[in-house]
Amino acid sequence: MKEIKSLLQKEIMLEWKQKYAFNGLVLYIVSTIFVCFLSFKQIIDPPTWNALFWIIMLFASVNAIAKSFLTESRGRQLYFYSIASAQAVILSKIIYNLVLMLVLSIFNLIFYTLFLGNIVQDMPMFIVGLCLGSAGFASVMTMISAIASKAGSSSTLMAILSFPILIPLLITIIRFSKNAMDGIDWSINYKFAIILIALNVLTIALSYLLFPYLWRE
Amino acid sequence: MKLYLKIICVAFLLFSIIGGLLIPVPRLPILHETIRNLFYHVPMWFSMIAVLIASLYYSIKYLGSNEMRYDVLAEESAKVGVMFGILGLITGSIWAKNTWGAWWTNDVKLNGAAATMLVYFAYFLLRNSLDDEYKRARIAAVYSIFAFALMAVFIFILPRLTDSLHPGNGGNPAFAKYDLDSTMRIVFYPAVIGWTLLAAWIVNIRVRIHKIQNHFLDLE
């Protein structure tokens, strides 16, 4: 537990020191939304609004999380290897990326609402979906970024490896937030929330089990 | 592979291919004669899933033991699985064109199949991008276990929660509906067993080819 805490602290310190990286991500989201705004002008159709929102989230998450292992130098990785357990490293990375994704998703929602309007009827439910979706993106992408960093660190590889296995998550989250947009009751929508939670738990458990094999060299 | 398994494989395949065209089938609306696709399309998916589960099993075995032969088995099983997957997509597409009027529809089962193919193509790409043999084996095994678990949710759980046009979902006639018609079962089960055995046989041969190639590489 202490290991995770100090590793998490190190991640946040590092992010704070390199604020340009985070600002870059926010700018990435804002400019993507602005391009969408110029191309669409206004979106009245709920499915389109929803799909575009999650596609922006998807690309933002690839960009945000790709760097979590790619930017670590070999020397630094070796250092962590000698002082911390593999499980602590992956869990701290997942938690850190989860927080990062939550912050980015809030930015995304705010700017998306400003430019393209907001046609969500059940906002609390939509935000629950946003949290579950961000958590799912963060946990899957962290593991994929670890795999891609071992395989020559190309960001194309990261996208190729992650997109197909994100499809189940993406379909479920789009369905869930579409129901939230239409104001459909929890009694119908809860099963998608359960799938999302199950996917998150599964991903984190698998990362916990498999990461040690990636880590040792 | 044991000789008797090969004989069973060939006998069952001949029986199901010929029998599938000859036996009387129930006449259902829309489906009509295309119901015979059950004998050719569905076994592809059964054998694909069988070899992909074998690939998963060998990946786990590799991580546990670090023996290269498990990695070869995992890779060749995945390759044969993808081949059967493509055959399944082709037979399904031809059938869909004749019954639904389109080669491809937006349907959970179809999308699940396509996403699975994408995952395994990514798996092969990942393998090719790594030069070191042991590193490749380890990282590919990790990816294949990780991806398989997530795809399993997609293929086995999601379709059961949503409506689908595909037979077996949303009130469309499925295999369970043919229960009354036991003649179809007589052909269907041997077809599944035959194609699965064929898949295992191909994996077996491919692994042996791989071994011989490695042997020659060592000689050079």
Side-chain angles (χ1 to χ4, degrees):
Chain A
M1 243 12 238
K2 242 184 90 190
E3 275 181 358
I4 298 177
K5 217 181 125 194
S6 43
L7 280 170
L8 206 60
Q9 251 169 4
K10 163 240 142 195
E11 291 282 352
I12 294 167
M13 292 273 275
L14 213 62
E15 189 70 66
W16 189 251
K17 267 187 148 178
Q18 307 177 321
K19 280 193 280 291
Y20 69 90
F22 179 76
N23 294 341
L25 286 171
V26 175
L27 196 60
Y28 178 85
I29 288 177
V30 174
S31 38
T32 313
I33 292 173
F34 190 61
V35 168
C36 291
F37 166 67
L38 290 180
S39 347
F40 282 93
K41 295 286 188 275
Q42 198 189 2
I43 302 177
I44 312 157
D45 183 34
T48 317
W49 192 93
N50 192 28
L52 190 64
F53 181 85
W54 283 106
I55 287 169
I56 294 171
M57 278 292 285
L58 177 67
F59 280 89
S61 72
V62 172
N63 278 301
I65 299 173
K67 68 180 177 55
S68 67
F69 281 93
L70 300 183
T71 52
E72 303 253 23
S73 66
R74 252 189 94 78
R76 204 194 278 162
Q77 288 199 0
L78 214 61
Y79 177 59
F80 290 143
Y81 182 73
S82 59
I83 58 164
S85 72
Q87 279 91 354
V89 172
I90 189 73
L91 286 182
S92 66
K93 289 265 187 199
I94 289 177
I95 295 169
Y96 166 71
N97 283 331
L98 206 153
V99 176
L100 181 69
M101 279 311 295
L102 282 177
V103 175
L104 286 179
S105 67
I106 292 165
F107 273 105
N108 190 9
L109 186 61
I110 293 170
F111 286 108
Y112 202 75
T113 306
L114 279 177
F115 281 109
L116 290 154
N118 195 329
I119 39 177
V120 181
Q121 289 185 29
D122 191 342
M123 206 58 199
M125 193 195 272
F126 190 83
I127 288 172
V128 169
L130 202 58
C131 295
L132 289 173
S134 311
F137 282 161
S139 46
V140 173
M141 291 285 195
T142 309
M143 190 62 186
I144 295 297
S145 135
I147 292 173
S149 78
K150 293 281 171 192
S153 63
S154 92
S155 55
T156 325
L157 194 64
M158 168 105 187
I160 294 168
L161 293 178
S162 61
F163 283 179
I165 56 176
L166 276 174
I167 294 172
L169 186 79
L170 201 64
I171 289 181
T172 321
I173 188 65
I174 284 180
R175 195 89 45 85
F176 180 88
S177 44
K178 173 70 178 38
N179 286 350
M181 290 183 76
D182 296 341
I184 286 171
D185 195 64
W186 267 109
S187 58
I188 296 167
N189 218 3
Y190 80 97
K191 63 180 181 186
F192 293 114
I194 289 173
I195 297 179
L196 286 171
I197 292 168
L199 276 172
N200 278 325
V201 172
L202 179 72
T203 319
I204 293 171
L206 280 172
S207 310
Y208 187 84
L209 290 175
L210 291 173
F211 185 71
Y213 293 103
L214 278 181
W215 196 224
R216 66 153 194 249
E217 195 116 29
Chain B
M1 216 163 115
K2 296 269 189 298
L3 183 68
Y4 75 92
L5 283 176
K6 292 179 185 170
I7 294 169
I8 291 175
C9 169
V10 173
F12 276 15
L13 283 181
L14 279 177
F15 171 72
S16 68
I17 289 170
I18 300 167
L21 292 171
L22 293 180
I23 62 151
V25 288
R27 303 215 148 258
L28 297 176
I30 307 171
L31 289 176
H32 300 297
E33 285 288 340
T34 68
I35 203 169
R36 292 182 194 279
N37 200 23
L38 178 82
F39 307 131
Y40 308 105
H41 169 66
V42 183
M44 296 300 152
W45 297 116
F46 274 80
S47 33
M48 178 192 91
I49 287 171
V51 277
L52 289 186
I53 287 174
S55 170
L56 172 76
Y57 172 75
Y58 291 125
S59 296
I60 295 171
K61 282 279 260 196
Y62 176 78
L63 286 184
S65 67
N66 272 332
E67 280 183 48
M68 276 320 273
R69 65 192 172 99
Y70 289 126
D71 179 58
V72 174
L73 274 163
E75 186 195 6
E76 298 300 343
S77 309
K79 276 185 183 159
V80 174
V82 166
M83 190 197 82
F84 273 87
I86 291 169
L87 288 177
L89 285 180
I90 294 171
T91 47
S93 261
I94 295 169
W95 178 83
K97 182 69 188 161
N98 287 299
T99 42
W100 298 338
W103 296 107
W104 192 266
T105 55
N106 185 19
D107 185 282
V108 267
K109 282 202 169 182
L110 277 67
N111 292 339
T116 311
M117 294 293 107
L118 283 180
V119 165
Y120 279 93
F121 285 133
Y123 169 75
F124 297 134
L125 201 94
L126 178 68
R127 292 192 71 94
N128 289 335
S129 71
L130 287 155
D131 289 327
D132 181 67
E133 211 179 344
Y134 287 92
K135 197 175 173 186
R136 171 172 60 207
R138 201 177 64 239
I139 292 169
V142 168
Y143 181 70
S144 99
I145 297 168
F146 190 66
F148 188 95
L150 290 179
M151 295 319 284
V153 174
F154 192 21
I155 295 169
F156 298 118
I157 300 172
L158 280 191
R160 279 166 183 68
L161 287 171
T162 41
D163 270 343
S164 164
L165 207 60
H166 195 280
N169 289 79
N172 285 297
F175 189 54
K177 292 272 172 68
Y178 311 141
D179 277 9
L180 296 171
D181 194 282
S182 50
T183 49
M184 284 191 78
R185 297 193 144 203
I186 292 173
V187 178
F188 178 70
Y189 288 146
V192 170
I193 296 167
W195 285 107
T196 309
L197 283 175
L198 185 70
W201 193 354
I202 298 173
V203 171
N204 188 280
I205 291 171
R206 290 191 64 108
V207 169
R208 281 157 62 195
I209 293 173
H210 199 105
K211 238 180 239 172
I212 294 167
Q213 276 173 344
N214 268 3
H215 183 69
F216 279 117
L217 276 176
D218 286 346
L219 286 182
E220 280 168 20

